[in-house]
Amino acid sequence: MTAGALRSEVLTPGMRVGLFGGSFDPVHAGHLHVARTALKRLALDRVWWIVSPQNPLKPHAPGDLARRLRAVEAAARAPRMVVTDIEARLGVRYTADLVARLTAAHPGVRFVWIMGADSLAGFHRWKDWQTIAARVPIAVIARPTDPIRARLSRAARTLSRHRLPQSRAAALPSCLPPCWTYLTAPLHGESSRALRAHGARPASP
C-alpha cells in the first residue's frame, strides 16, 4: 500500500463513500464497471476498493495480497477511487465486522456497500448478512451472469419492500437502512473465475 493510498482513506462527516469489497483475483474490467457505475449513479465522493485477504465463501485461497493490491491500484487510478487493505490491517474476516467497525468509527460518513448482481445471488450466505443490510444501504450493479437469479434471490426477496427505484439512486447514501437499489448499465461480461480458468490476464480498463 502506497503512502498516497493511505492518506486518501481520510474521511470527514457528510462524505458519501462506497465500499466495494472483494478478493479481486484478478481485477478486471467488470470490477471497474461496477465501481464507476456506483460512483456516478450514487453521486459518491469516494469508492473504496477493499482488497480482502481471503473470501470465506470461496473454495480456493486468493493470490498474494500485496500482488493483488498492486494490480487493483494500477486498474483503479481514476479520481475518487481509493484502494485499501483495511480488512487486513484491522484483522477482520467478515464484511459484517468491517461495516460495524467503519460505521462506529465514522458516524457522520454515509457509507454504501457496493456489489455486483452475482454477489447478490449469494448474499444470504454471508455471515450476518441481514445485519449488514441493517447498517448500510446497498447498491447492486447489474452483471451479465444470472441477472434473474440475483433479483429472485433470498436476499432480494427478503429486502424487496426496502428497494429504492434506480431513478432515485442518488438518494441512496442518505437513506436509512435497510435500503437498497439495483442499477442497470451497459454490461461487462468478464469475471475473475473465467480469467483464472483460461489463464488470461485481466483486461485493460
Side-chain angles (χ1 to χ4, degrees):
M1 181 67 62
T2 65
L6 285 173
R7 283 196 299 272
S8 66
E9 288 181 4
V10 174
L11 298 172
T12 57
M15 288 183 71
R16 300 155 64 98
V17 179
L19 305 174
F20 183 28
S23 53
F24 303 113
D25 186 30
V27 63
H28 54 70
H31 292 134
L32 198 57
H33 164 73
V34 168
R36 284 172 169 166
T37 300
L39 186 70
K40 179 179 179 180
R41 300 280 294 277
L42 304 178
L44 299 175
D45 296 303
R46 301 281 189 279
V47 169
W48 278 23
W49 294 63
I50 301 169
V51 185
S52 302
Q54 59 187 2
N55 184 331
L57 294 178
K58 289 188 176 180
H60 62 86
D64 177 70
L65 177 60
R67 176 188 59 77
R68 288 183 287 121
L69 278 165
R70 290 192 298 270
V72 176
E73 286 177 336
R77 289 185 177 276
R80 296 184 286 162
M81 300 286 188
V82 177
V83 181
T84 175
D85 62 350
I86 193 167
E87 277 191 351
R89 285 186 281 119
L90 291 179
V92 298
R93 289 189 61 199
Y94 297 102
T95 297
D97 298 328
L98 175 66
V99 167
R101 295 280 292 271
L102 288 175
T103 53
H106 306 282
V109 174
R110 298 170 183 174
F111 290 109
V112 176
W113 188 262
I114 300 167
M115 66 171 70
D118 47 345
S119 294
L120 177 63
F123 186 42
H124 63 279
R125 297 170 54 217
W126 293 24
K127 180 179 180 290
D128 298 332
W129 69 274
Q130 289 178 315
T131 301
I132 299 170
R135 285 188 181 275
V136 290
I138 297 171
V140 181
I141 315 302
R143 295 289 303 275
T145 53
D146 299 327
I148 296 177
R149 186 167 68 98
R151 282 178 282 183
L152 295 179
S153 66
R154 177 180 167 185
R157 287 184 282 110
T158 300
L159 299 171
S160 60
R161 67 188 180 95
H162 302 292
R163 182 173 171 181
L164 188 73
Q166 65 172 321
S167 60
R168 297 181 54 206
L172 184 71
S174 299
C175 287
L176 185 68
C179 187
W180 69 288
T181 193
Y182 187 97
L183 302 178
T184 57
L187 301 175
H188 279 275
E190 292 184 21
S191 72
S192 298
R193 183 183 303 173
L195 287 170
R196 284 194 303 270
H198 291 89
R201 288 187 173 185
S204 299

